[in-house]
Amino acid sequence: MPSTLLNSQEMNRAISRIAHEILEKNHGTENLVLVGIRTRGVYLAERLRDKIAAIESTTLEMGLLDITLYRDDVGQAAQKPILKKTEIPFSLSDKKIVLCDDVLFTGRTIRAAIDGIMDFGRPACVQLAVIIDRGHRELPIRPDFVGKNIPTSRDMMVKVKFKEVDGEDKVVVHEGAS
Amino acid sequence: MKLIIKNGRVIDPANGLDGLHDVLIDKGKIAAVAKPGGLSGEESGAKILEADGKVVAPGFVDMHVHFREPGYEYKETIQSGCESAAAGGFTTVAVMPNTDPINDNRSVTELIQNVAQAKGAVNVLVIGAITTGLKGTKLAEMTDMREAGAIAFSDDGKPVMDSEMMRRAFEYSRLFDVPLIQHSEILELTSGGCMNEGAVSTELGLKGMPTEAEDIMVYRDIALLERTGGRLHVAHISSAGAVDLVRMAKAKGLPVTCEAAPHHFTLTDEAVRGFDTNAKMSPPLRALKDVHAIKEGLKDSTIDIIATDHAPHDVVGKEVEFDKACFGIIGLETALPLTLRLVDDKTITLRQAVEKLTSRPAEIFNLDCGSLSVGANADAVIFDPEAEYVFDMSHIKSKSKNSPFLGWKMKGKILHTLVRGKTVFKAEI
Amino acid sequence: MSLKGKDILGMRDLTEEEIVDILDSADSFKEISEREIKKVPALRGRTIINLFLEPSTRTRTSFEIAGKRLSADVINISGSGSSLAKGETLMDTARNLEAMRPDILVLRHSGPGAPHMIAKLLKSSVINAGDGAHEHPSQALLDLLTIRQNKKELKGLKVAIVGDISHSRVARSNILAMNTLGMKVTVVGPPTMIPVEIEKLGVSVEYNLERAIRDVDVILMLRIQLERQESLLFSSLREYSNLYGLTSEKLKKAPSDVLIIHPGPVNRGVEISPDVMDGPHSLILDQVTNGVAVRMALMYLLLGANLETNN
C-alpha cells in the first residue's frame, strides 16, 4: 500500500519555499530561467514560474527538456522510449538556469539533463531544484533546492503526483519492488 | 540371381495392371508377374523383397533434366544426377543439351553416354541440340546425333526464336521422326524478366515475364507444325493459354504433346514474395488461374507427362540478388510427393500419376522402358504413397540444394529403386 | 514505443501504429536540426554503415547526417570503391561488413529484395534505402511527415502519384503506406508506365493528369528518368511533358490548398515547371529537411528501442 509523504498543502508549501529560496540565492530574477525535465519536472517548473511571478511580478522564461537522447542506458532498460520534444526557444548562454525535476535519485537523469543543456549554449551556472531527494546517488550531484529529504531503501518507489496529469497533488511512496 | 518382389500393389499402366501381385526378376529382366503366391515355385534360390502392400511401379521416366556434365560439374555430374534420380524413383532420365560444350554433335552425345554408362546408376538418355551452339541460326547435325543415340532434340533454356529456323527444324526432323522439344518463350517479351508478370511482380518491382510470351510461341510452333509435319513436344508448360492451345492442337489431331513440371502445379508466383531465389525459374511460377489450368490439363490428358526440369545450381548461382540469380530448381527427389498431392486433391488418379511418370513418356519418345512387361528391363520402383516426412537437406542426393520445398511436409516416399534388377536406391528406415 | 522487427525493409511490413510512432518521433527529432549544436549523444559508440551501390547524393547524405546528429560513427561505402567491383557477391560483402560489428547497415541497391536477403543473413539491423523498383520506405515516411505537417489528418486524404509508376520504388512505398493509413491513392501516367494489375494494390488508375488532380489533397510528382527516352515507354520528353508535366496552368484544375511533393532530384521543366516547383504549393525542400528527422527516428528506434523515460 502506498503511504503519503506529502499531501497537497505540504507540497504547495514546499514549492513556495523553493521559489523564495531561488530568488534569495540569485538576488532576484535577472538572467534567471527555468528548465523543466520532462515529464514531471515541467510541472514543477511551471509552478515555480507562477509563484515567482506572484512574488516578483516577473514571468521567467521557461524551457522543456527531454533527456531521452542523453541517457546512458539506451537499449538496456526494458520500457518504451517515448521521445518528446525539447522546447528551449531561447539561448541559454550566460543564463542562470534552475533545472527542475520531481525526484532526485541516482543523479543519472540530472547528468543527462546537464549534457543536454550544454548543447544549447554555455550557461553562467546550473542549479537544481527537486521536490524529493531520496538519496542513493551514483554520481557526484547534489540539489540546490529541495522540497523534502526522504531516506528510502533502493527498491522503494517514490512518486510525485501533479494535478495536471495525475488529478491530485501528492507525494507517495510504495514499499518493495515496483 | 533371381529376385521376387512379393505382395506389392503393382501399378503398371502399360499392361493395365493395378492390384496385388508378385514380380519375378531374372537376369535383369522382368520374368513373370503373378497373383500373390503364384510364384512360390520360383522361391527357392531367389532373393525375396517384401513390398508389404506398397506400390510397385515401373521405374519413373523424366524427360527433362539438366545434369551439367560436361562443363558445370560443380553444379551436378552425371553420377550425382543419377543418384538424385534413383532417390526420386527415376530409372530413366533424358538430359538436356545445354552443357559446355553444348551437346550439338555426335562426340558430345557419345561422351555423355559413355560417362553415363560408366558412372550412372540409372539409364541416361540424351537430347541433342536443334541448332548449333543453341544459337538458333543453323541446324545441328541431328541425324548424326540420332544415330549415336539421341532420343529427341531441343534448344532448351533457349527457345528457337527465328520462325524460319523452326520451320526448317520441323521439316528436317521428319528424317528421323523424334519430337522437337521447345522451351516456349518469346524473348522480346521477357527481356530482363525474372518472375511472372502480374500483381505480385507489380508489387515487388521485379520485371515480369508475361504468359503471352509462352502462348505466342506455342501457337507459332503449332501453326508451323501443321504445314511441316514432324512432332512438337512443349516443355514445362506453365500458362493457361498454352494449355488451351495444346488442347486445340490435339483436337485437330496434330502430333503435339507436352509436359508439366511439379513446381508449376504446386506453387504460384506468391512464392516469390520472400525473394527466395529458389522460387525463380523459367518459365516462372504463374498465377493461380494458370495452376488451375495445368491441373485441368493433367486431368484431361492435354498434358501428357510430368517432367521435373531438374536444374541444379550452386550457391554462387542462387545466393545472390533475385534479379541476378540463375533460373531453375532441382526436382527429381520431390517429384513423387508433389505429384501425389494431385492424387490427394482428386485431380488425377494414382494410376494416371504413374502413367504420366512411366508409360506415357515412353510412348511419346518411343522408349524401351516404362512398363513391367515380361521381357522388359527390370526397372522398377517401390514407394509408399502414405508415408509422411519433412523434406530437408539430408534427403538431397543432388550436388545442388536449390529447392523451394525444403522444410515442406511431404507425403509419398520412395522405398526402393531397381535398375535392371539391381538396387540403386534403398530408403533408410 | 518500439518497432517489431529488427529491420526497416518496406512499408508493407509496418503497421499503422508503427508508422504513426515513427512520424511522431521524427517530429521530435526535427528540433535537433534547428539547434546551433546539432548533435545528441543517443547513439554514441554505435556504428552505421551506408552501403550505397547505386548513385545517390541526397539519400546517402541524409542518412549520414542523421547518423552523425545522433553521434553514431557513420561509414560510407559506394559501389565503385567496394569489393563488389572486384567480383565479391553482395552476400559476402554483407557477411564481411557484419564481421566488423556494425549496428545498422543502410543499403541502396538496384535489385529488388536485396536488403531483404541481407537482413535474413545478418544480425545487424538493415534499413532499405531503396531496392530497385521495389521499396524506399524512408522516402515514403518523409513524404507522409511532410503531408502531415500541412494537413490536419492523414486519414481520408486523396493523393495523386504521377509519372513512371512501373519503375518507381517511391510510388510503391507510398501506395502501401497510404493504404495502411486510410488514404486514397490514384496513380497517373501513360499506360506504358502503369504496371499490370496495380489496382490489386488498392489504387485507382487515371491517364489524364488534369482530371486526376481535380479533387486531390496532395500531388506526388515522380522523377522521369531521362534515359528512359530510349525505351519503348513514351515517344519523347516533349510529349511526356505536355501530357504529364505539372504546370501552373494545369495546377489551376487542382484545389487551391493542394500540396505538391517530389522525391527529387527534379528535372525542372520536364515533370514539373519551375514556377510550380518554387511556388507556394511546393514542399520539396521541406521534404529534404524532414528526411533527416525521419532517418534519425528510424535509427534511434531500431537501436534505442528498449528504453524507458520515467525516473
Side-chain angles (χ1 to χ4, degrees), chain B residues 197 202-203 319-321, chain C residues 12 95 109 117 172 196:
Chain B
E197 179 167 329
T202 286
E203 184 180 333
E319 202 186 73
V320 293
E321 299 88 313
Chain C
R12 191 181 214 277
R95 284 193 190 100
H109 193 283
M117 300 180 81
R172 280 176 181 78
V196 299

Side-chain angles (χ1 to χ4, degrees), chain C residues 165-182:
Chain C
I165 309 297
S166 284
H167 296 91
S168 176
R169 52 190 168 217
V170 177
R172 280 176 181 78
S173 280
N174 268 296
I175 288 168
L176 293 168
M178 287 171 175
N179 278 345
T180 304
L181 296 175

